[in-house]
Amino acid sequence: MYGKITNFIKELYPHQEFVPLHAPCFSGNEKKYLNDCIDSTYVSSVGQYVDRFEEQIAAYTKAAKAVVCVNGTNALHMSLLLAGVEKDDEVITQALTFIATCNAIHYIGAHPVFIDVDKDTMGLSPHALKEWLVHHAEVKGGICYNKRSQRKIKACVPMHTFGHPVHLNELLEVCREYAIELVEDAAESIGSLYKGQHTGTFGKIGVLSFNGNKTITTGGGGMLLFMDEELAKQAKHLTTQAKVPHRWEFIHDEIGYNYRMPNINAALGCAQLENLDKYIANKRETALQYQEFFKHIPDIHFFSEPEGCRSNYWLNAVLLKDKSAREDFLQYTNDHRVMTRPVWGLMNKSDMFKNAETDALVNTQWFEERVVNIPSSVRTALL
């Protein structure tokens, strides 16, 4: 059976001795814009491509403003600072996530609280969140507190796992009831829509990533999405060392951060963005072929987009029947030069966050034992 699967994947990605999980695709104006950037000599954090990339991402996502960062982790850190998270506050998130989500929380000296995910999204569950808050939280003076730790619960950070949107309307409702700011970790979900609206534009702030393995890439890079233009101005100020504009003086009016994306990276992003819709259509076609193929494979289920959503299918995922089957699948596919990988190790099991508060994480642990990502690159033969 595993031989049949690896052969099918190799047919999807022909002429490759080794099929990677997700390789970048450069099929447009990347070299042209990079050369233009080099010729201009503006290769650092000032230049026309930085402004252009921010404007184009804002237009694409229909955010009011977008602010670039050097990577998605920096963008998450900044988003939490702007949401008012301070040292020893608590931030609710999911244990089924890439470690950047939790690292950003830790940079502030805040504490993650891990809540279960939904079976249809692999993302933070509004029902599980409400259940935990009912029993463990109270709102006093417009501030949410953890009744056990007495810490303030300032923010909630759902992550759109593999590009599949979480149940945003329900999460927003719960967060509003408990006076908690919603910050979307939309790092994996550029081009994904929830009820027709782009992910990252529902909460106070949304965060995108343009790492080398993402749907489009700037090499490394991140983006903050805002519906509040004043908050976006503050973000731009803080991410550029909090420097007050002046023709020659160096004046800084608060603690700032060197989170600026270089112009040369933004040039790459502008070229990539021109082909984003084409890449997503390509990846969705691949997902459809996987979905049809796995209908006929016993004990392996292809994970499809949630109802009412359009996923970018950043990374396709299959569910094996148990942990043993997952390990056998990983061993066979990687031995036969098809890259697959398990879902991330759960954050509450890492040494750094093992003492964090959690709920039962029933679905989270179920996914951890079964999820495998399979090759998901743009298929260049179809472009």
Side-chain angles (χ1 to χ4, degrees):
M1 177 177 69
Y2 295 157
K4 182 178 180 180
I5 294 169
T6 55
N7 287 338
F8 178 75
I9 293 173
K10 288 176 179 178
E11 289 172 4
L12 289 177
Y13 296 95
H15 314 302
Q16 292 182 257
E17 288 188 19
F18 172 77
V19 183
L21 194 66
H22 197 288
C25 181
F26 303 113
S27 61
N29 288 314
E30 287 86 359
K31 290 181 180 179
K32 177 183 176 182
Y33 293 170
L34 288 173
N35 284 334
D36 178 56
C37 183
I38 291 167
D39 289 343
S40 76
T41 74
Y42 286 94
V43 296
S44 191
S45 56
V46 176
Q48 63 169 336
Y49 286 107
V50 171
D51 297 337
R52 180 171 160 187
F53 193 39
E54 288 178 333
E55 291 166 1
Q56 290 178 342
I57 287 289
Y60 184 87
T61 61
K62 294 183 173 58
K65 287 287 184 181
V67 175
V68 290
C69 284
V70 71
N71 58 54
T73 309
N74 294 155
L76 280 166
H77 179 213
M78 183 54 55
S79 71
L80 292 170
L81 289 172
L82 291 167
V85 177
E86 299 176 320
K87 184 179 180 180
D88 285 329
D89 287 341
E90 292 182 349
V91 177
I92 294 171
T93 189
Q94 56 200 69
L96 190 77
T97 187
F98 181 56
I99 197 167
T101 312
C102 297
N103 281 343
I105 295 168
H106 187 72
Y107 293 165
I108 300 173
H111 306 269
V113 175
F114 297 117
I115 301 299
D116 208 2
V117 297
D118 279 321
K119 277 282 189 77
D120 63 335
T121 68
M122 275 196 258
L124 190 66
S125 168
H127 175 74
L129 175 61
K130 179 65 179 286
E131 282 291 304
W132 186 86
L133 288 169
V134 165
H135 293 99
H136 297 88
E138 59 183 347
V139 179
K140 296 184 294 186
I143 299 171
C144 187
Y145 290 87
N146 183 326
K147 289 190 286 189
R148 182 191 63 81
S149 68
Q150 288 303 303
R151 296 186 185 119
K152 296 175 183 177
I153 304 172
K154 285 284 188 67
C156 173
V157 184
M159 198 271 285
H160 303 299
T161 309
F162 307 139
H164 299 296
V166 301
H167 294 295
L168 282 161
N169 285 348
E170 292 87 345
L171 275 175
L172 276 168
E173 185 178 342
V174 175
C175 287
R176 286 168 182 156
E177 181 181 353
Y178 282 86
I180 298 170
E181 294 287 6
L182 183 70
V183 174
E184 290 179 70
D185 184 347
E188 301 172 358
S189 65
I190 189 166
S192 294
L193 307 178
Y194 173 81
K195 299 187 185 301
Q197 184 175 334
H198 200 286
T199 53
T201 63
F202 287 80
K204 189 177 186 73
I205 307 164
V207 172
L208 301 175
S209 171
F210 306 109
N211 190 39
N213 65 347
K214 293 301 192 294
T215 305
I216 61 171
T217 183
T218 57
M223 188 76 77
L224 293 155
L225 302 178
F226 299 90
M227 301 310 287
D228 181 337
E229 293 195 23
E230 288 304 311
L231 195 60
K233 288 179 183 177
Q234 186 181 357
K236 191 70 173 178
H237 184 58
L238 289 176
T239 55
T240 54
Q241 299 284 28
K243 186 178 185 298
V244 178
H246 193 280
R247 288 174 61 197
W248 57 81
E249 294 284 2
F250 288 91
I251 303 170
H252 305 264
D253 60 0
E254 56 185 309
I255 298 296
Y257 301 84
N258 186 15
Y259 284 178
R260 304 168 293 181
M261 176 184 283
N263 196 44
I264 199 163
N265 295 83
L268 188 62
C270 288
Q272 288 271 285
L273 188 56
E274 290 172 352
N275 284 316
L276 177 56
D277 285 337
K278 187 189 300 184
Y279 291 168
I280 291 175
N282 185 300
K283 289 165 67 63
R284 286 179 60 80
E285 173 60 28
T286 300
L288 282 173
Q289 292 197 39
Y290 274 138
Q291 185 176 38
E292 182 59 32
F293 174 79
F294 281 107
K295 284 179 182 178
H296 309 288
I297 302 296
D299 297 323
I300 301 181
H301 172 72
F302 180 76
F303 194 85
S304 300
E305 64 192 0
E307 186 177 350
C309 299
R310 185 194 78 164
S311 174
N312 66 5
Y313 283 100
W314 169 54
L315 285 185
N316 292 296
V318 291
L319 305 173
L320 282 295
K321 66 178 181 179
D322 54 33
K323 188 173 183 179
S324 176
R326 185 199 72 171
E327 292 304 303
D328 289 344
F329 183 87
L330 288 165
Q331 182 75 51
Y332 186 93
T333 50
N334 284 285
D335 282 350
H336 289 79
R337 305 188 65 75
V338 170
M339 185 178 180
T340 59
R341 75 172 189 199
V343 74
W344 316 279
L346 300 185
M347 293 298 102
N348 62 302
K349 294 182 179 180
S350 66
D351 287 342
M352 301 81 72
F353 306 112
K354 63 185 178 183
N355 296 320
E357 191 166 352
T358 75
D359 67 1
L361 299 178
V362 174
N363 292 340
T364 300
Q365 295 180 79
W366 187 88
F367 278 125
E368 183 195 28
E369 294 178 353
R370 292 166 173 81
V371 173
V372 173
N373 291 123
I374 56 179
S376 306
S377 304
V378 170
R379 292 157 63 199
T380 54
L382 301 184
L383 293 177

